Amino acid sequence: MKKDATPQEIAAYTAGIIDGEGSIQIRKTFDKRNNNNYYCLRVTVVNTDERLMQWMTKSYGGYVLDKCPPKGTNWKRAYCWYIQGKRAESFLILIFAYITLKKEQAIVAFSFINKQWHEENEMFFIKMKELNRKGAKSESLPT
């Protein structure tokens, strides 16, 4: 990223990172104390270049995890940057105009954030899980 980049250029660059290396998720965890599910918006980027993770943290906050050690001598260590909750919402608002491949996930994320009923959480969780499913997809890339 060039030093004199405009905020729009930085947002577009970041959206490209999310489209290529990132994931927009609705995470579900079970709270044993309340015997209830808890749902949270999370945006992640996984990459082997720690400098990218440092730039994401410096630019947007969030956290970096040492995701997985190398599996063999030819493998690099992978890092995971993530941001969640209200910070993830603000982050997606900032880059939304520039997201291409994960636009539908971002729209589901905004619907999840703006829901009126707690009962809708599971529906948004399932929809996001379907969108993020690995494997062949029938749709072609946008032009």
Side-chain angles (χ1 to χ4, degrees), residues 42-75:
R42 181 182 259 195
V43 180
T44 64
V45 174
V46 177
N47 195 280
T48 59
D49 193 331
E50 191 175 13
R51 295 172 300 175
L52 175 61
M53 304 297 122
Q54 292 167 353
W55 182 82
M56 293 293 291
T57 303
K58 182 179 175 187
S59 300
Y60 303 104
Y63 305 93
V64 176
L65 300 174
D66 188 352
K67 186 160 174 75
C68 54
K71 293 182 182 177
T73 56
N74 293 330
W75 288 63

PDB file of all heavy atoms in Angstrom, residues 42-75:
ATOM      1  N   ARG A  42     -18.045 -12.035  12.924  1.00  0.00           N
ATOM      2  CA  ARG A  42     -16.577 -12.047  12.936  1.00  0.00           C
ATOM      3  C   ARG A  42     -16.070 -11.976  11.508  1.00  0.00           C
ATOM      4  O   ARG A  42     -16.605 -12.642  10.621  1.00  0.00           O
ATOM      5  CB  ARG A  42     -16.067 -13.312  13.605  1.00  0.00           C
ATOM      6  CG  ARG A  42     -14.542 -13.382  13.668  1.00  0.00           C
ATOM      7  CD  ARG A  42     -14.066 -14.672  14.283  1.00  0.00           C
ATOM      8  NE  ARG A  42     -13.683 -14.434  15.657  1.00  0.00           N
ATOM      9  CZ  ARG A  42     -12.969 -15.278  16.377  1.00  0.00           C
ATOM     10  NH1 ARG A  42     -12.567 -16.426  15.875  1.00  0.00           N
ATOM     11  NH2 ARG A  42     -12.646 -14.990  17.609  1.00  0.00           N
ATOM     12  N   VAL A  43     -15.030 -11.181  11.299  1.00  0.00           N
ATOM     13  CA  VAL A  43     -14.338 -11.103  10.017  1.00  0.00           C
ATOM     14  C   VAL A  43     -12.909 -11.556  10.261  1.00  0.00           C
ATOM     15  O   VAL A  43     -12.255 -11.107  11.209  1.00  0.00           O
ATOM     16  CB  VAL A  43     -14.357  -9.668   9.442  1.00  0.00           C
ATOM     17  CG1 VAL A  43     -13.624  -9.612   8.105  1.00  0.00           C
ATOM     18  CG2 VAL A  43     -15.788  -9.158   9.282  1.00  0.00           C
ATOM     19  N   THR A  44     -12.414 -12.465   9.410  1.00  0.00           N
ATOM     20  CA  THR A  44     -11.061 -12.996   9.576  1.00  0.00           C
ATOM     21  C   THR A  44     -10.272 -12.899   8.278  1.00  0.00           C
ATOM     22  O   THR A  44     -10.844 -12.867   7.180  1.00  0.00           O
ATOM     23  CB  THR A  44     -11.079 -14.479  10.007  1.00  0.00           C
ATOM     24  OG1 THR A  44     -11.671 -15.254   8.967  1.00  0.00           O
ATOM     25  CG2 THR A  44     -11.832 -14.681  11.298  1.00  0.00           C
ATOM     26  N   VAL A  45      -8.948 -12.881   8.428  1.00  0.00           N
ATOM     27  CA  VAL A  45      -8.017 -13.007   7.310  1.00  0.00           C
ATOM     28  C   VAL A  45      -6.949 -13.992   7.753  1.00  0.00           C
ATOM     29  O   VAL A  45      -6.384 -13.852   8.845  1.00  0.00           O
ATOM     30  CB  VAL A  45      -7.357 -11.658   6.944  1.00  0.00           C
ATOM     31  CG1 VAL A  45      -6.281 -11.856   5.877  1.00  0.00           C
ATOM     32  CG2 VAL A  45      -8.389 -10.643   6.486  1.00  0.00           C
ATOM     33  N   VAL A  46      -6.680 -14.990   6.930  1.00  0.00           N
ATOM     34  CA  VAL A  46      -5.615 -15.948   7.206  1.00  0.00           C
ATOM     35  C   VAL A  46      -4.573 -15.803   6.111  1.00  0.00           C
ATOM     36  O   VAL A  46      -4.901 -15.787   4.923  1.00  0.00           O
ATOM     37  CB  VAL A  46      -6.145 -17.402   7.263  1.00  0.00           C
ATOM     38  CG1 VAL A  46      -5.002 -18.386   7.469  1.00  0.00           C
ATOM     39  CG2 VAL A  46      -7.184 -17.539   8.358  1.00  0.00           C
ATOM     40  N   ASN A  47      -3.304 -15.685   6.536  1.00  0.00           N
ATOM     41  CA  ASN A  47      -2.221 -15.473   5.583  1.00  0.00           C
ATOM     42  C   ASN A  47      -0.912 -15.879   6.230  1.00  0.00           C
ATOM     43  O   ASN A  47      -0.798 -15.893   7.452  1.00  0.00           O
ATOM     44  CB  ASN A  47      -2.188 -13.991   5.174  1.00  0.00           C
ATOM     45  CG  ASN A  47      -1.357 -13.740   3.946  1.00  0.00           C
ATOM     46  OD1 ASN A  47      -0.140 -13.661   4.024  1.00  0.00           O
ATOM     47  ND2 ASN A  47      -2.023 -13.613   2.812  1.00  0.00           N
ATOM     48  N   THR A  48       0.079 -16.179   5.419  1.00  0.00           N
ATOM     49  CA  THR A  48       1.381 -16.571   5.952  1.00  0.00           C
ATOM     50  C   THR A  48       2.330 -15.389   6.139  1.00  0.00           C
ATOM     51  O   THR A  48       3.404 -15.557   6.692  1.00  0.00           O
ATOM     52  CB  THR A  48       2.064 -17.605   5.025  1.00  0.00           C
ATOM     53  OG1 THR A  48       2.224 -17.034   3.734  1.00  0.00           O
ATOM     54  CG2 THR A  48       1.258 -18.884   4.960  1.00  0.00           C
ATOM     55  N   ASP A  49       1.938 -14.206   5.686  1.00  0.00           N
ATOM     56  CA  ASP A  49       2.794 -13.025   5.831  1.00  0.00           C
ATOM     57  C   ASP A  49       2.365 -12.240   7.065  1.00  0.00           C
ATOM     58  O   ASP A  49       1.317 -11.584   7.083  1.00  0.00           O
ATOM     59  CB  ASP A  49       2.707 -12.144   4.586  1.00  0.00           C
ATOM     60  CG  ASP A  49       3.790 -11.081   4.528  1.00  0.00           C
ATOM     61  OD1 ASP A  49       4.249 -10.639   5.612  1.00  0.00           O
ATOM     62  OD2 ASP A  49       4.170 -10.688   3.424  1.00  0.00           O
ATOM     63  N   GLU A  50       3.164 -12.288   8.089  1.00  0.00           N
ATOM     64  CA  GLU A  50       2.830 -11.636   9.348  1.00  0.00           C
ATOM     65  C   GLU A  50       2.724 -10.119   9.187  1.00  0.00           C
ATOM     66  O   GLU A  50       1.981  -9.460   9.927  1.00  0.00           O
ATOM     67  CB  GLU A  50       3.869 -11.989  10.411  1.00  0.00           C
ATOM     68  CG  GLU A  50       3.469 -11.565  11.802  1.00  0.00           C
ATOM     69  CD  GLU A  50       4.450 -12.025  12.866  1.00  0.00           C
ATOM     70  OE1 GLU A  50       5.562 -12.461  12.527  1.00  0.00           O
ATOM     71  OE2 GLU A  50       4.085 -11.929  14.052  1.00  0.00           O
ATOM     72  N   ARG A  51       3.412  -9.551   8.203  1.00  0.00           N
ATOM     73  CA  ARG A  51       3.337  -8.096   7.979  1.00  0.00           C
ATOM     74  C   ARG A  51       1.916  -7.668   7.622  1.00  0.00           C
ATOM     75  O   ARG A  51       1.457  -6.607   8.035  1.00  0.00           O
ATOM     76  CB  ARG A  51       4.304  -7.667   6.870  1.00  0.00           C
ATOM     77  CG  ARG A  51       5.770  -7.878   7.233  1.00  0.00           C
ATOM     78  CD  ARG A  51       6.651  -7.623   6.048  1.00  0.00           C
ATOM     79  NE  ARG A  51       6.281  -8.562   4.978  1.00  0.00           N
ATOM     80  CZ  ARG A  51       6.789  -8.547   3.761  1.00  0.00           C
ATOM     81  NH1 ARG A  51       7.691  -7.643   3.423  1.00  0.00           N
ATOM     82  NH2 ARG A  51       6.421  -9.432   2.857  1.00  0.00           N
ATOM     83  N   LEU A  52       1.201  -8.491   6.849  1.00  0.00           N
ATOM     84  CA  LEU A  52      -0.185  -8.184   6.510  1.00  0.00           C
ATOM     85  C   LEU A  52      -1.040  -8.164   7.769  1.00  0.00           C
ATOM     86  O   LEU A  52      -1.871  -7.273   7.962  1.00  0.00           O
ATOM     87  CB  LEU A  52      -0.743  -9.190   5.503  1.00  0.00           C
ATOM     88  CG  LEU A  52      -2.220  -9.037   5.155  1.00  0.00           C
ATOM     89  CD1 LEU A  52      -2.496  -7.671   4.520  1.00  0.00           C
ATOM     90  CD2 LEU A  52      -2.666 -10.156   4.228  1.00  0.00           C
ATOM     91  N   MET A  53      -0.810  -9.126   8.654  1.00  0.00           N
ATOM     92  CA  MET A  53      -1.575  -9.183   9.903  1.00  0.00           C
ATOM     93  C   MET A  53      -1.299  -7.950  10.763  1.00  0.00           C
ATOM     94  O   MET A  53      -2.217  -7.377  11.356  1.00  0.00           O
ATOM     95  CB  MET A  53      -1.221 -10.447  10.687  1.00  0.00           C
ATOM     96  CG  MET A  53      -1.408 -11.739   9.926  1.00  0.00           C
ATOM     97  SD  MET A  53      -3.126 -12.027   9.483  1.00  0.00           S
ATOM     98  CE  MET A  53      -2.988 -12.152   7.722  1.00  0.00           C
ATOM     99  N   GLN A  54      -0.041  -7.530  10.822  1.00  0.00           N
ATOM    100  CA  GLN A  54       0.319  -6.332  11.583  1.00  0.00           C
ATOM    101  C   GLN A  54      -0.339  -5.096  10.980  1.00  0.00           C
ATOM    102  O   GLN A  54      -0.828  -4.226  11.710  1.00  0.00           O
ATOM    103  CB  GLN A  54       1.838  -6.178  11.631  1.00  0.00           C
ATOM    104  CG  GLN A  54       2.525  -7.249  12.446  1.00  0.00           C
ATOM    105  CD  GLN A  54       4.027  -7.273  12.237  1.00  0.00           C
ATOM    106  OE1 GLN A  54       4.584  -6.588  11.389  1.00  0.00           O
ATOM    107  NE2 GLN A  54       4.711  -8.093  13.027  1.00  0.00           N
ATOM    108  N   TRP A  55      -0.369  -5.004   9.652  1.00  0.00           N
ATOM    109  CA  TRP A  55      -1.005  -3.862   8.988  1.00  0.00           C
ATOM    110  C   TRP A  55      -2.506  -3.839   9.277  1.00  0.00           C
ATOM    111  O   TRP A  55      -3.074  -2.789   9.572  1.00  0.00           O
ATOM    112  CB  TRP A  55      -0.746  -3.903   7.481  1.00  0.00           C
ATOM    113  CG  TRP A  55      -1.346  -2.736   6.768  1.00  0.00           C
ATOM    114  CD1 TRP A  55      -0.824  -1.483   6.644  1.00  0.00           C
ATOM    115  CD2 TRP A  55      -2.614  -2.703   6.098  1.00  0.00           C
ATOM    116  NE1 TRP A  55      -1.684  -0.675   5.944  1.00  0.00           N
ATOM    117  CE2 TRP A  55      -2.794  -1.402   5.594  1.00  0.00           C
ATOM    118  CE3 TRP A  55      -3.612  -3.642   5.883  1.00  0.00           C
ATOM    119  CZ2 TRP A  55      -3.924  -1.022   4.887  1.00  0.00           C
ATOM    120  CZ3 TRP A  55      -4.746  -3.262   5.170  1.00  0.00           C
ATOM    121  CH2 TRP A  55      -4.893  -1.964   4.684  1.00  0.00           C
ATOM    122  N   MET A  56      -3.164  -5.006   9.211  1.00  0.00           N
ATOM    123  CA  MET A  56      -4.595  -5.074   9.494  1.00  0.00           C
ATOM    124  C   MET A  56      -4.879  -4.633  10.936  1.00  0.00           C
ATOM    125  O   MET A  56      -5.805  -3.870  11.184  1.00  0.00           O
ATOM    126  CB  MET A  56      -5.130  -6.496   9.260  1.00  0.00           C
ATOM    127  CG  MET A  56      -5.110  -6.960   7.814  1.00  0.00           C
ATOM    128  SD  MET A  56      -6.246  -6.077   6.729  1.00  0.00           S
ATOM    129  CE  MET A  56      -7.829  -6.649   7.317  1.00  0.00           C
ATOM    130  N   THR A  57      -4.054  -5.097  11.870  1.00  0.00           N
ATOM    131  CA  THR A  57      -4.244  -4.736  13.276  1.00  0.00           C
ATOM    132  C   THR A  57      -4.011  -3.244  13.489  1.00  0.00           C
ATOM    133  O   THR A  57      -4.793  -2.582  14.175  1.00  0.00           O
ATOM    134  CB  THR A  57      -3.294  -5.555  14.173  1.00  0.00           C
ATOM    135  OG1 THR A  57      -3.536  -6.946  13.945  1.00  0.00           O
ATOM    136  CG2 THR A  57      -3.517  -5.253  15.643  1.00  0.00           C
ATOM    137  N   LYS A  58      -2.961  -2.711  12.893  1.00  0.00           N
ATOM    138  CA  LYS A  58      -2.662  -1.283  13.025  1.00  0.00           C
ATOM    139  C   LYS A  58      -3.766  -0.433  12.388  1.00  0.00           C
ATOM    140  O   LYS A  58      -4.154   0.600  12.928  1.00  0.00           O
ATOM    141  CB  LYS A  58      -1.322  -0.971  12.371  1.00  0.00           C
ATOM    142  CG  LYS A  58      -0.898   0.467  12.492  1.00  0.00           C
ATOM    143  CD  LYS A  58       0.450   0.714  11.832  1.00  0.00           C
ATOM    144  CE  LYS A  58       0.788   2.188  11.869  1.00  0.00           C
ATOM    145  NZ  LYS A  58       1.991   2.483  11.118  1.00  0.00           N
ATOM    146  N   SER A  59      -4.294  -0.872  11.273  1.00  0.00           N
ATOM    147  CA  SER A  59      -5.293  -0.095  10.532  1.00  0.00           C
ATOM    148  C   SER A  59      -6.695  -0.221  11.101  1.00  0.00           C
ATOM    149  O   SER A  59      -7.466   0.747  11.070  1.00  0.00           O
ATOM    150  CB  SER A  59      -5.312  -0.538   9.064  1.00  0.00           C
ATOM    151  OG  SER A  59      -4.056  -0.333   8.468  1.00  0.00           O
ATOM    152  N   TYR A  60      -7.053  -1.405  11.608  1.00  0.00           N
ATOM    153  CA  TYR A  60      -8.447  -1.663  11.981  1.00  0.00           C
ATOM    154  C   TYR A  60      -8.640  -2.218  13.387  1.00  0.00           C
ATOM    155  O   TYR A  60      -9.779  -2.455  13.792  1.00  0.00           O
ATOM    156  CB  TYR A  60      -9.080  -2.624  10.969  1.00  0.00           C
ATOM    157  CG  TYR A  60      -9.010  -2.103   9.562  1.00  0.00           C
ATOM    158  CD1 TYR A  60      -8.098  -2.614   8.653  1.00  0.00           C
ATOM    159  CD2 TYR A  60      -9.839  -1.054   9.153  1.00  0.00           C
ATOM    160  CE1 TYR A  60      -8.027  -2.117   7.358  1.00  0.00           C
ATOM    161  CE2 TYR A  60      -9.766  -0.550   7.866  1.00  0.00           C
ATOM    162  CZ  TYR A  60      -8.855  -1.082   6.976  1.00  0.00           C
ATOM    163  OH  TYR A  60      -8.777  -0.577   5.701  1.00  0.00           O
ATOM    164  N   GLY A  61      -7.568  -2.458  14.096  1.00  0.00           N
ATOM    165  CA  GLY A  61      -7.699  -3.096  15.407  1.00  0.00           C
ATOM    166  C   GLY A  61      -7.833  -4.597  15.226  1.00  0.00           C
ATOM    167  O   GLY A  61      -7.451  -5.152  14.201  1.00  0.00           O
ATOM    168  N   GLY A  62      -8.360  -5.236  16.211  1.00  0.00           N
ATOM    169  CA  GLY A  62      -8.519  -6.682  16.127  1.00  0.00           C
ATOM    170  C   GLY A  62      -7.350  -7.409  16.756  1.00  0.00           C
ATOM    171  O   GLY A  62      -6.531  -6.824  17.469  1.00  0.00           O
ATOM    172  N   TYR A  63      -7.266  -8.681  16.454  1.00  0.00           N
ATOM    173  CA  TYR A  63      -6.300  -9.566  17.093  1.00  0.00           C
ATOM    174  C   TYR A  63      -5.652 -10.473  16.054  1.00  0.00           C
ATOM    175  O   TYR A  63      -6.259 -10.784  15.035  1.00  0.00           O
ATOM    176  CB  TYR A  63      -6.995 -10.438  18.148  1.00  0.00           C
ATOM    177  CG  TYR A  63      -7.751  -9.615  19.158  1.00  0.00           C
ATOM    178  CD1 TYR A  63      -9.106  -9.338  18.967  1.00  0.00           C
ATOM    179  CD2 TYR A  63      -7.118  -9.104  20.274  1.00  0.00           C
ATOM    180  CE1 TYR A  63      -9.805  -8.565  19.885  1.00  0.00           C
ATOM    181  CE2 TYR A  63      -7.812  -8.328  21.196  1.00  0.00           C
ATOM    182  CZ  TYR A  63      -9.152  -8.061  20.994  1.00  0.00           C
ATOM    183  OH  TYR A  63      -9.844  -7.291  21.892  1.00  0.00           O
ATOM    184  N   VAL A  64      -4.435 -10.924  16.360  1.00  0.00           N
ATOM    185  CA  VAL A  64      -3.737 -11.879  15.495  1.00  0.00           C
ATOM    186  C   VAL A  64      -3.429 -13.133  16.304  1.00  0.00           C
ATOM    187  O   VAL A  64      -2.903 -13.053  17.405  1.00  0.00           O
ATOM    188  CB  VAL A  64      -2.426 -11.292  14.930  1.00  0.00           C
ATOM    189  CG1 VAL A  64      -1.675 -12.334  14.111  1.00  0.00           C
ATOM    190  CG2 VAL A  64      -2.707 -10.057  14.087  1.00  0.00           C
ATOM    191  N   LEU A  65      -3.801 -14.266  15.728  1.00  0.00           N
ATOM    192  CA  LEU A  65      -3.493 -15.560  16.328  1.00  0.00           C
ATOM    193  C   LEU A  65      -2.453 -16.265  15.475  1.00  0.00           C
ATOM    194  O   LEU A  65      -2.458 -16.140  14.248  1.00  0.00           O
ATOM    195  CB  LEU A  65      -4.745 -16.442  16.382  1.00  0.00           C
ATOM    196  CG  LEU A  65      -5.931 -15.924  17.166  1.00  0.00           C
ATOM    197  CD1 LEU A  65      -7.119 -16.859  16.979  1.00  0.00           C
ATOM    198  CD2 LEU A  65      -5.584 -15.788  18.630  1.00  0.00           C
ATOM    199  N   ASP A  66      -1.583 -16.996  16.120  1.00  0.00           N
ATOM    200  CA  ASP A  66      -0.644 -17.860  15.428  1.00  0.00           C
ATOM    201  C   ASP A  66      -1.432 -19.110  15.087  1.00  0.00           C
ATOM    202  O   ASP A  66      -1.546 -20.030  15.884  1.00  0.00           O
ATOM    203  CB  ASP A  66       0.523 -18.165  16.359  1.00  0.00           C
ATOM    204  CG  ASP A  66       1.639 -18.900  15.673  1.00  0.00           C
ATOM    205  OD1 ASP A  66       1.465 -19.314  14.518  1.00  0.00           O
ATOM    206  OD2 ASP A  66       2.695 -19.071  16.307  1.00  0.00           O
ATOM    207  N   LYS A  67      -2.064 -19.109  13.903  1.00  0.00           N
ATOM    208  CA  LYS A  67      -3.085 -20.104  13.560  1.00  0.00           C
ATOM    209  C   LYS A  67      -2.559 -21.532  13.539  1.00  0.00           C
ATOM    210  O   LYS A  67      -3.128 -22.414  14.127  1.00  0.00           O
ATOM    211  CB  LYS A  67      -3.724 -19.773  12.220  1.00  0.00           C
ATOM    212  CG  LYS A  67      -4.878 -20.696  11.899  1.00  0.00           C
ATOM    213  CD  LYS A  67      -5.763 -20.095  10.864  1.00  0.00           C
ATOM    214  CE  LYS A  67      -6.826 -21.036  10.406  1.00  0.00           C
ATOM    215  NZ  LYS A  67      -7.899 -21.245  11.317  1.00  0.00           N
ATOM    216  N   CYS A  68      -1.499 -21.749  12.828  1.00  0.00           N
ATOM    217  CA  CYS A  68      -0.996 -23.115  12.791  1.00  0.00           C
ATOM    218  C   CYS A  68       0.488 -23.120  12.457  1.00  0.00           C
ATOM    219  O   CYS A  68       0.930 -22.416  11.566  1.00  0.00           O
ATOM    220  CB  CYS A  68      -1.776 -23.983  11.810  1.00  0.00           C
ATOM    221  SG  CYS A  68      -1.875 -23.344  10.147  1.00  0.00           S
ATOM    222  N   PRO A  69       1.233 -23.910  13.197  1.00  0.00           N
ATOM    223  CA  PRO A  69       2.652 -24.045  12.899  1.00  0.00           C
ATOM    224  C   PRO A  69       2.840 -24.786  11.579  1.00  0.00           C
ATOM    225  O   PRO A  69       1.935 -25.467  11.108  1.00  0.00           O
ATOM    226  CB  PRO A  69       3.185 -24.856  14.081  1.00  0.00           C
ATOM    227  CG  PRO A  69       2.003 -25.550  14.646  1.00  0.00           C
ATOM    228  CD  PRO A  69       0.813 -24.721  14.319  1.00  0.00           C
ATOM    229  N   PRO A  70       3.998 -24.643  10.962  1.00  0.00           N
ATOM    230  CA  PRO A  70       4.242 -25.352   9.699  1.00  0.00           C
ATOM    231  C   PRO A  70       4.035 -26.853   9.852  1.00  0.00           C
ATOM    232  O   PRO A  70       4.415 -27.446  10.847  1.00  0.00           O
ATOM    233  CB  PRO A  70       5.711 -25.033   9.404  1.00  0.00           C
ATOM    234  CG  PRO A  70       6.035 -23.833  10.219  1.00  0.00           C
ATOM    235  CD  PRO A  70       5.134 -23.861  11.415  1.00  0.00           C
ATOM    236  N   LYS A  71       3.411 -27.449   8.842  1.00  0.00           N
ATOM    237  CA  LYS A  71       3.146 -28.890   8.881  1.00  0.00           C
ATOM    238  C   LYS A  71       4.336 -29.704   8.381  1.00  0.00           C
ATOM    239  O   LYS A  71       4.394 -30.893   8.573  1.00  0.00           O
ATOM    240  CB  LYS A  71       1.910 -29.214   8.047  1.00  0.00           C
ATOM    241  CG  LYS A  71       0.643 -28.647   8.622  1.00  0.00           C
ATOM    242  CD  LYS A  71      -0.571 -29.019   7.789  1.00  0.00           C
ATOM    243  CE  LYS A  71      -1.815 -28.402   8.373  1.00  0.00           C
ATOM    244  NZ  LYS A  71      -3.003 -28.662   7.595  1.00  0.00           N
ATOM    245  N   GLY A  72       5.235 -29.063   7.720  1.00  0.00           N
ATOM    246  CA  GLY A  72       6.415 -29.733   7.188  1.00  0.00           C
ATOM    247  C   GLY A  72       7.493 -28.713   6.890  1.00  0.00           C
ATOM    248  O   GLY A  72       7.312 -27.509   7.097  1.00  0.00           O
ATOM    249  N   THR A  73       8.593 -29.166   6.369  1.00  0.00           N
ATOM    250  CA  THR A  73       9.720 -28.263   6.128  1.00  0.00           C
ATOM    251  C   THR A  73       9.434 -27.243   5.032  1.00  0.00           C
ATOM    252  O   THR A  73      10.025 -26.179   5.023  1.00  0.00           O
ATOM    253  CB  THR A  73      10.990 -29.068   5.764  1.00  0.00           C
ATOM    254  OG1 THR A  73      10.685 -29.895   4.638  1.00  0.00           O
ATOM    255  CG2 THR A  73      11.453 -29.904   6.927  1.00  0.00           C
ATOM    256  N   ASN A  74       8.538 -27.545   4.107  1.00  0.00           N
ATOM    257  CA  ASN A  74       8.224 -26.620   3.018  1.00  0.00           C
ATOM    258  C   ASN A  74       7.004 -25.748   3.311  1.00  0.00           C
ATOM    259  O   ASN A  74       6.555 -25.004   2.450  1.00  0.00           O
ATOM    260  CB  ASN A  74       7.985 -27.395   1.715  1.00  0.00           C
ATOM    261  CG  ASN A  74       9.261 -28.062   1.232  1.00  0.00           C
ATOM    262  OD1 ASN A  74      10.355 -27.575   1.478  1.00  0.00           O
ATOM    263  ND2 ASN A  74       9.108 -29.193   0.571  1.00  0.00           N
ATOM    264  N   TRP A  75       6.455 -25.835   4.492  1.00  0.00           N
ATOM    265  CA  TRP A  75       5.256 -25.076   4.851  1.00  0.00           C
ATOM    266  C   TRP A  75       5.637 -23.844   5.658  1.00  0.00           C
ATOM    267  O   TRP A  75       6.557 -23.880   6.472  1.00  0.00           O
ATOM    268  CB  TRP A  75       4.307 -25.928   5.690  1.00  0.00           C
ATOM    269  CG  TRP A  75       3.616 -26.998   4.920  1.00  0.00           C
ATOM    270  CD1 TRP A  75       4.187 -28.062   4.277  1.00  0.00           C
ATOM    271  CD2 TRP A  75       2.214 -27.129   4.708  1.00  0.00           C
ATOM    272  NE1 TRP A  75       3.238 -28.840   3.702  1.00  0.00           N
ATOM    273  CE2 TRP A  75       2.005 -28.288   3.940  1.00  0.00           C
ATOM    274  CE3 TRP A  75       1.116 -26.388   5.102  1.00  0.00           C
ATOM    275  CZ2 TRP A  75       0.748 -28.716   3.558  1.00  0.00           C
ATOM    276  CZ3 TRP A  75      -0.144 -26.803   4.728  1.00  0.00           C
ATOM    277  CH2 TRP A  75      -0.312 -27.958   3.955  1.00  0.00           C
TER     278      TRP A  75
END
